[in-house]
Amino acid sequence: AQSVTQLGSHVSVSEGALVLLRCNYSSSVPPYLFWYVQYPNQGLQLLLKYTTGATLVKGINGFEAEFKKSETSFHLTKPSAHMSDAAEYFCAVSPMIYNQGGKLIFGQGTELSVKP
Amino acid sequence: GAVVSQHPSWVICKSGTSVKIECRSLDFQATTMFWYRQFPKQSLMLMATSNEGSKATYEQGVEKDKFLINHASLTLSTLTVTSAHPEDSSFYICSARSGGARVNEQFFGPGTRLTVL
């Protein structure tokens, strides 16, 4: 079984500051890991994903995340926050087994606020 | 590429009526579509998984007779909320997954806001 825990339902940073959103997962099989962003009243947009290979994954809008198997973590970072980064962020895990249907298990979400 | 649309984007209906929400993959064939429900300030809850041409697989606790899902073609899935009640008010989001190299990636629609009066 898979599960995802996002530490902190709300994170507030100043514009230009480092963004760090934490995600820990539990999976009985090798996982695919994802970060999605959701703006108000919209669907989800993929920021980045880890499947195999390089553990440091770069995504859109300057975000990146590092898969750390030993820590079962996939934290999302961005060196310098922008006002437009204010949104809800979801970490998700999917088992790396096709015949399990590719279901995504989402974390609770972290709301990112950016102060001017 | 990989665009998913939903229609309508918002709907208001009276209690007891049925509402149909469409989910379309615009530029790819979706072998699998997923339906999620999201309450305010909460995460997405998977309701069901539908594969083209077969019956949907519902998650535990989701009433299949209440939430009818049809996946008649590789580009269209519909969710019908039957005899809707105020507690069914929510944000419904679909996603679509293609086969091939991107089999593990889901593309999300913009969501449908349902309000039942």
Side-chain angles (χ1 to χ4, degrees):
Chain A
Q2 287 76 37
S3 66
V4 179
T5 301
Q6 291 182 239
L7 298 176
S9 59
H10 185 249
V11 170
S12 181
V13 300
S14 298
E15 190 173 20
L18 171 71
V19 175
L20 171 60
L21 305 183
R22 299 177 186 275
C23 173
N24 288 88
Y25 69 91
S26 172
S27 179
S28 56
V29 298
Y32 292 135
L33 295 160
F34 305 81
W35 274 100
Y36 288 90
V37 61
Q38 184 181 34
Y39 296 99
N41 295 310
Q42 293 187 28
L44 273 66
Q45 180 182 9
L46 180 67
L47 280 176
L48 48 79
K49 65 178 179 180
Y50 168 79
T51 54
T52 59
T55 56
L56 182 61
V57 180
K58 295 187 183 297
I60 63 171
N61 301 339
F63 285 95
E64 62 182 38
E66 185 170 11
F67 170 57
K68 292 187 177 181
K69 184 177 179 180
S70 61
E71 298 177 10
T72 61
S73 68
F74 192 57
H75 301 330
L76 181 71
T77 61
K78 182 174 180 177
S80 177
H82 192 273
M83 296 296 290
S84 60
D85 294 327
E88 188 83 20
Y89 291 80
F90 292 97
C91 181
V93 63
S94 179
M96 197 182 287
I97 300 177
Y98 176 74
N99 62 5
Q100 289 198 7
K103 290 182 185 180
L104 282 173
I105 307 300
F106 285 91
Q108 307 92 314
T110 298
E111 182 180 2
L112 175 66
S113 299
V114 182
K115 298 176 290 186
Chain B
V3 178
V4 176
S5 70
Q6 281 185 242
H7 179 79
S9 56
W10 59 270
V11 57
I12 301 173
C13 68
K14 292 182 179 180
S15 185
T17 61
S18 294
V19 175
K20 179 183 284 188
I21 302 170
E22 293 186 349
C23 176
R24 294 181 183 272
S25 56
L26 299 184
D27 50 3
F28 68 101
Q29 293 186 324
T31 54
T32 306
M33 287 185 169
F34 303 85
W35 286 96
Y36 297 85
R37 184 173 181 177
Q38 185 181 32
F39 291 105
K41 300 294 184 182
Q42 294 188 28
S43 188
L44 281 73
M45 182 193 78
L46 179 64
M47 299 174 66
T49 303
S50 72
N51 292 295
E52 185 264 339
S54 61
K55 288 185 178 180
T57 302
Y58 290 82
E59 295 299 303
Q60 192 172 11
V62 177
E63 299 176 61
K64 59 182 66 177
D65 294 330
K66 173 86 174 162
F67 299 99
L68 300 179
I69 292 172
N70 184 278
H71 192 163
S73 77
L74 285 172
T75 59
L76 174 64
S77 176
T78 60
L79 167 68
T80 301
V81 183
T82 62
S83 187
H85 290 284
E87 59 265 29
D88 298 323
S89 299
S90 190
F91 194 51
Y92 292 88
I93 303 174
C94 73
S95 71
R97 187 183 67 160
S98 66
R102 304 180 79 176
V103 65
N104 55 304
E105 187 169 345
Q106 293 183 27
F107 302 96
F108 286 81
T112 297
R113 173 77 58 193
L114 170 63
T115 301
V116 184
L117 302 176

